Amino acid sequence: MTGTARILTIETTCDETAAAVIADDPQTGEIQVLSDVVASQDALHRRFGGVVPEIASRAHVERILPVVDAALRQANVTLTDLQAVAVANRPGLAGSLLVGLMAAKTLCLVGQLPLIGIDHLQAHIYACRIAAAREVFPCVGLIVSGGHSHLYRCQSPLDFTPLGGTIDDAAGEAFDKVATMLGLGYPGGPAISRVAQQGDPQRFSLPRPLLRDRERLAFSFSGLKTAVRYQLFGTGRQPAAELDQQPAAELNQQLVADMAASFQAAVVDCLVGKAVQALEQTGFQRLCVGGGVAANQTLRAALEAAAGHTTAGFELHIPPLKLCTDNAVMGAIAMERYRAGQFDRLDLDIGPGLVR
Ligand code: KG4
Ligand code: ZN
């Protein structure tokens, strides 16, 4: 494909309705972001302490057209100026994915445009390529979000191989659940990192699951979460649900801060340790990190330290916060598929689960 291409990208995998228009610069071939619109649903889910799938898909239905419209207007283009429509069709919440995919297919039919389905997790890694504005492949990709914690071997933007991931909870999910136990509210990640600043990360001795198994690139945060619960409330026989709702008033402020810091330190050790093991196993020298938990300052600092201190050292890419959380700009990975002439048929389906 030659000449300038403009692609509308749509993202509705979880609880953000997002659209963007991206173009490739005809001179340099670099990707330009012509618009970037995100409608967050945080306020709708907060009182439930997590994303409610049915509420999310209904909210996507209400927002998708205004969001797409805003993205086209902001970019000063109409459907006839586009060369393709891209949509994250996997993985994610089924109902949410369907809304984005149906919107994309409809726009393709109306505008006689080709459809490009993209993998949301690969797009998270591609956010590093956008932020860096230079080559970041080949690299190891680390995704740490509310729903995912995975490592990828990323040979090129068109060639990703899963290396391993969580065998139970995702990192962000563990942050959210521990925050609930500590009475810190939702979303828990930002709250834990805030109070952890006043805490002692060594006060509580918590496990680093699977970290010493150097062969296995996997995470496990469920046992760590349970270890937090036992240290806070003992190993009594109360049902788990009750313990999660334990009133924070029973926990003094310093104890909350110390547990938040100790828990955060354990998660960070696991994420950094496994990322370094993945770099060693692949022989790659770049690490690209994506997902909401990448906003965590302690994680960022530990990754930076590892990048400088591990035997061989490695090049670290973590996008700015806005590109770490769900957005449609990272859907620019579709431009790589467009250039390679890789399009999807209009009977493309959603893929809610992970392809391992
Ligand atoms: O990628 P994301 O915006 O949404 C998806 O899960 O797709 O990630 C949200 C997750 C939540 O679990 C939230 O608690 C976590 O990212 N998070 C953080 C921080 N900011 C957001 N976790 C740790 N520290 C943070 N500063
Ligand atoms: Zn995401």
Side-chain angles (χ1 to χ4, degrees), residues 11 13-16 51 120-121 124 143-148 170-176 186-194 264 290-297 299 321 324-326:
E11 155 63 45
T13 59
C14 186
D15 63 338
E16 321 284 355
V51 176
H120 174 74
L121 301 181
H124 264 304
I143 306 291
V144 274
S145 72
H148 302 282
E173 191 180 351
F175 266 97
D176 293 336
Y186 173 86
I192 289 205
S193 57
R194 196 176 54 248
Q264 178 174 263
V293 182
N296 186 280
Q297 290 304 330
L299 175 63
L321 184 55
C324 284
T325 50
D326 287 349

Side-chain angles (χ1 to χ4, degrees), residues 216-275:
R216 194 164 167 210
L217 295 174
F219 304 105
S220 168
F221 296 114
S222 176
L224 173 59
K225 197 182 62 189
T226 308
V228 169
R229 177 187 289 150
Y230 285 167
Q231 296 214 22
L232 287 175
F233 307 117
T235 53
R237 290 220 210 118
Q238 282 143 292
E242 259 173 50
L243 286 168
D244 281 345
Q245 304 302 325
Q246 200 88 8
E250 284 182 19
L251 305 173
N252 81 51
Q253 232 179 333
Q254 192 56 51
L255 184 139
V256 168
D258 291 345
M259 183 53 92
S262 303
F263 165 76
Q264 178 174 263
V267 175
V268 167
D269 280 354
C270 294
L271 295 175
V272 177
K274 287 293 167 192

Side-chain angles (χ1 to χ4, degrees), residues 189-218:
I192 289 205
S193 57
R194 196 176 54 248
V195 302
Q197 285 170 10
Q198 267 71 54
D200 171 6
Q202 284 170 351
R203 169 154 172 205
F204 295 100
S205 156
L206 295 171
R208 269 69 174 157
L210 303 177
L211 190 55
R212 269 186 275 172
D213 183 349
R214 299 187 66 81
E215 293 308 305
R216 194 164 167 210
L217 295 174

